[in-house]
Amino acid sequence: MNLTDFVKAVSQEDFGKSFNHVAVWNTKLRSSGGRFFPADGHLDFNPKIYDTFGLDVFRKIVRHELCHYHLYFAGKGYKHADADFKDLLKAVDGLRYAPSLSQNAPANHYRCQQCGQDYHRKRRINTQKYRCGRCQGKLLMIK
């Protein structure tokens, strides 16, 4: 899918206005669905939102970013707290917040060899340096 062409089509169909800049995928976005850059007018979008939730949710995120875009170039309030933004977002049925892409479980699981205490951590633990907080026993990595 050509992202810029898709955003142009959404802009024309849902807003009746043209999108005259570039839309790009940004894999570094973590919690947001997209970003609008007023300095040069381009839009960034999170490809994980499209892959995870599909075209319907992604189209609503495109509408959200286009609300920022069109209001900015019209000289109206384009920020999240502005009434102009909230009204336009409601009128075009855009998403106020991006759906969560949170990860369910921490990647590393450790267990104390003496007392059996479990530790779940996102980051790896140096088992040669750190010990169990309960009994000072040696930690063993489970997965």
Side-chain angles (χ1 to χ4, degrees):
M1 164 173 60
N2 185 343
L3 184 60
T4 302
D5 290 342
F6 179 73
V7 173
K8 285 181 179 182
V10 171
S11 179
Q12 197 62 46
E13 291 168 13
D14 297 341
F15 293 86
K17 297 178 181 178
S18 63
F19 175 71
N20 301 321
H21 291 83
V22 179
V24 294
W25 296 112
N26 185 347
T27 57
K28 294 183 179 182
L29 293 176
R30 297 286 176 216
S31 60
S32 65
R35 290 187 349 192
F36 166 60
F37 292 86
D40 62 357
H42 85 276
L43 301 175
D44 279 1
F45 291 101
N46 188 344
K48 291 179 206 132
I49 295 284
Y50 176 69
D51 295 338
T52 305
F53 299 104
L55 189 62
D56 292 335
V57 172
F58 182 69
R59 186 180 179 105
K60 291 183 179 191
I61 289 174
V62 170
R63 289 178 191 150
H64 176 106
E65 297 308 321
L66 284 172
C67 286
H68 290 297
Y69 177 85
H70 290 302
L71 289 170
Y72 177 78
F73 288 110
K76 296 180 180 178
Y78 67 96
K79 296 181 181 177
H80 288 121
D82 294 331
D84 292 332
F85 177 79
K86 290 178 183 178
D87 293 341
L88 183 59
L89 189 65
K90 186 182 277 190
V92 297
D93 189 32
L95 283 180
R96 180 89 167 114
Y97 302 103
S100 176
L101 289 169
S102 66
Q103 298 151 349
N104 294 338
N108 300 306
H109 180 203
Y110 300 91
R111 182 171 291 140
C112 176
Q113 291 180 339
Q114 283 184 337
C115 69
Q117 173 72 29
D118 284 331
Y119 295 93
H120 299 279
R121 298 290 182 269
K122 287 184 181 179
R123 294 187 179 190
R124 297 189 87 175
I125 295 174
N126 182 353
T127 57
Q128 301 298 317
K129 182 177 178 182
Y130 295 100
R131 299 289 190 132
C132 174
R134 181 189 279 176
C135 70
Q136 300 302 313
K138 188 172 170 102
L139 296 176
L140 180 68
M141 186 171 187
I142 303 298
K143 37 174 176 172

